[in-house]
Amino acid sequence: MAQIKVTLVKSTIGSIPKHKRIVEALGLRKMNSNHIHQDNPAIRGMVRHVSHLVKVEEINA
């Protein structure tokens, strides 16, 4: 199954609380931290909500 690497590239300071909770649920805490997730519709939806804060890379494994 495909995987995606999500990296926090912009701070959540000033973001709405829902976006802060989504970023935390993705396993991201500090700037430039990253986390690898399985590529599924639930994760893609979360990433779409905070697309202005994160960078997504597909990992072929």
Side-chain angles (χ1 to χ4, degrees):
M1 180 154 218
Q3 294 182 327
I4 57 173
K5 178 179 175 183
V6 183
T7 306
L8 184 64
V9 295
K10 189 168 185 242
S11 174
T12 57
I13 294 173
S15 296
I16 63 174
K18 181 178 181 179
H19 290 179
K20 290 181 183 183
R21 289 194 305 270
I22 290 172
V23 167
E24 187 176 337
L26 286 170
L28 306 172
R29 291 187 166 273
K30 297 183 177 183
M31 290 282 297
N32 297 315
S33 64
N34 57 54
H35 200 270
I36 296 174
H37 292 281
Q38 294 297 326
D39 189 8
N40 61 46
I43 298 297
R44 286 286 182 172
M46 293 168 74
V47 168
R48 190 174 64 244
H49 276 282
V50 294
S51 61
H52 58 289
L53 301 175
V54 299
K55 177 177 74 170
V56 179
E57 302 170 43
E58 292 190 19
I59 299 176
N60 297 326

